[in-house]
Amino acid sequence: GCVDFNYPQHFHKHFVSNAEAKKSLDKQNLVAGAVCLRYPSSLFVRGAMMHPDPALRQKAIDLTMEAAQTARELDCNEVVIWSAYDGYDYPFQINYDENWQHLIDAFQQCCDAYPDIKFSLEFKPTDENTRFFCVPSTGAALLFVNEVNRSNMGLTLDVGHMLMAGENPGQSIAMVGASKKLFGIQLNDGYTRLAAEDGMMFGSVHPYMALEIMYYLQKVDYQGHLYFDTFPQRTDPVKEAEFNIQRVKTFWKAAKKLKALGIDAVMDKQDAIGALNLSDEALMWARQQQQQGTQYVSNSSNDDAATFVESSAKSSISDDDLTKTPTDNELATAADLDMNNIASTAFSEKHISSLGATFHSEIDE
């Protein structure tokens, strides 16, 4: 299992040093998946790497490199950069070309200083902090990565952000995956209301899109971990994490079944109705496997909640190729460490684990 940390917030509040954080991970038999930048608003509300003050721009770059050093000391090799403030609100507020170049220069400096660390930009089109981000779409993000022109520069795609940008996430994953620049993926769902990031549970609103996301992650041979960026505002965060894990496992299996059913030939014909029918068949098959697993656990003596989540992997299914999870892939969700004491829930091919102040379990498949 793995944990993604916010930097610097989780370290200043929860750990006095990187060594202490690493020790805590080792104690729970977990690893760090990535270090995620959250530039403090007290300094960077007018911009981080494109702040009008050159001294504060450099401070943002220095903070990004501190995060890279933290990632190195935690034995992970990825820093995810989402800036809430690198954008603008009004026409003529900024010089677009000049600030685009500020961002390119900043990322080149970081990439060159830490060639062993992957720097992954998480684009977003808009939010309450910045009405227009300077990198607002998958296409713009790919252009940006190409102009940075460093092998350790890539992208993290957030499903909600892609939906907000009016994109089809499956197509965006295909584009970035074909460029070998898909460093990370954050899974959620949303109603796509104007400028709204809903953070709904994965596949809860757009199940066909969720299935296509799994299909294209398999097709591009995605090798990173999967992070759930959902907002459990009115649900139990542990149960929401469990639901997300189970949903992804079901959709992952359905995507493999879809391949076996001949979806490629259907797409060659551009047969929309045929594609929807096959999608329904694959999802029905995968959900039947999930129900079999639930029955298996309900008849067993182990009532542990995490065992229930893991149940579909425990069911007896003959086609191993369709049901096994991807080697070297992990599913992870990390809430803020101060939210209901939940730090992370993660799944890997061999075990499932949930880490919190009082909640931890592990099951071998």
Side-chain angles (χ1 to χ4, degrees):
C2 66
V3 176
D4 284 8
F5 291 97
N6 286 351
Y7 190 89
Q9 289 81 1
H10 287 165
F11 290 85
H12 291 176
K13 184 174 182 179
H14 297 278
F15 303 108
V16 297
S17 68
N18 297 340
E20 182 184 352
K22 183 66 169 64
K23 184 178 178 181
S24 296
L25 290 171
D26 292 342
K27 183 178 179 180
Q28 298 291 346
N29 195 28
L30 294 167
V31 298
V35 175
C36 305
L37 249 296
R38 294 293 183 268
Y39 299 102
S41 60
S42 57
L43 288 175
F44 301 113
V45 71
R46 294 184 64 197
M49 291 179 172
M50 54 165 280
H51 198 286
D53 183 342
L56 283 173
R57 285 203 302 272
Q58 187 60 49
K59 196 172 186 68
I61 293 170
D62 293 342
L63 186 64
T64 306
M65 289 196 282
E66 287 176 18
Q69 182 63 34
T70 297
R72 181 184 284 172
E73 293 177 13
L74 293 178
D75 291 335
C76 68
N77 67 342
E78 184 176 355
V79 173
V80 179
I81 298 95
W82 172 71
S83 173
Y85 310 110
D86 279 334
Y88 59 96
D89 301 320
Y90 295 98
F92 301 107
Q93 184 175 349
I94 68 168
N95 182 309
Y96 305 126
D97 295 335
E98 181 180 272
N99 282 282
W100 181 267
Q101 192 61 48
H102 285 329
L103 294 173
I104 290 172
D105 293 343
F107 275 100
Q108 287 177 337
Q109 186 175 336
C110 293
C111 288
D112 291 343
Y114 286 86
D116 57 318
I117 300 295
K118 294 188 294 185
F119 291 87
S120 190
L121 177 68
E122 178 186 349
F123 88 83
K124 190 175 185 180
T126 185
D127 71 10
E128 66 274 12
N129 298 297
T130 305
R131 303 318 299 165
F132 294 92
F133 283 99
C134 281
V135 185
S137 67
T138 296
L142 270 176
L143 174 64
F144 180 79
V145 166
N146 288 338
E147 293 194 19
V148 172
N149 194 26
R150 297 295 188 272
S151 61
N152 57 331
M153 181 71 205
L155 297 175
T156 289
L157 296 180
D158 181 296
V159 174
H161 297 181
M162 290 183 280
L163 292 173
M164 291 172 67
E167 299 175 5
N168 174 17
Q171 182 183 11
S172 298
I173 290 169
M175 290 169 56
V176 178
S179 300
K180 307 300 181 185
K181 289 297 184 181
L182 185 59
F183 288 0
I185 187 80
Q186 299 192 358
L187 299 177
N188 49 55
D189 209 335
Y191 294 110
T192 66
R193 301 181 71 178
L194 184 62
E197 182 183 12
D198 299 316
M200 310 300 287
M201 286 176 272
F202 181 67
S204 59
V205 181
H206 298 97
Y208 289 123
M209 281 186 173
L211 178 59
E212 192 179 46
I213 288 168
M214 296 292 101
Y215 174 85
Y216 275 99
L217 287 175
Q218 294 173 13
K219 186 172 183 178
V220 304
D221 193 28
Y222 175 67
Q223 292 298 308
H225 65 283
L226 304 181
Y227 177 103
F228 296 114
D229 191 4
T230 63
F231 311 153
Q233 295 173 322
R234 296 179 178 86
T235 60
D236 183 295
V238 174
K239 291 181 179 179
E240 181 161 320
E242 292 171 349
F243 181 91
N244 281 326
I245 293 169
Q246 187 63 71
R247 178 57 61 94
V248 165
K249 291 170 66 178
T250 298
F251 277 57
W252 186 272
K253 293 171 186 176
K256 286 198 169 189
K257 184 69 170 179
L258 199 58
K259 178 79 172 177
L261 289 172
I263 190 63
D264 291 339
V266 172
M267 288 192 290
D268 287 342
K269 298 176 183 178
Q270 299 185 15
D271 181 359
I273 294 174
L276 291 173
N277 285 334
L278 279 189
S279 296
D280 286 341
E281 184 177 347
L283 285 169
M284 183 179 298
W285 175 87
R287 284 166 175 154
Q288 287 173 347
Q289 307 311 310
Q290 177 183 346
Q291 290 172 359
Q292 289 178 15
T294 301
Q295 182 65 33
Y296 170 90
V297 174
S298 66
N299 290 335
S300 73
S301 60
N302 191 338
D303 294 327
D304 187 271
T307 305
F308 182 86
V309 168
E310 186 62 5
S311 59
S312 66
K314 296 285 189 179
S315 62
S316 177
I317 303 169
S318 59
D319 191 342
D320 292 337
D321 183 61
L322 291 176
T323 58
K324 70 180 182 179
T325 52
T327 303
D328 297 327
N329 270 315
E330 293 181 332
L331 311 182
T333 180
D336 286 344
L337 290 176
D338 60 351
M339 184 166 68
N340 294 342
N341 291 325
I342 301 303
S344 169
T345 302
F347 165 78
S348 73
E349 187 177 18
K350 293 300 181 184
H351 63 269
I352 183 170
S353 59
S354 300
L355 170 65
T358 58
F359 182 72
H360 175 77
S361 59
E362 180 167 303
I363 300 170
D364 292 325
E365 292 185 352

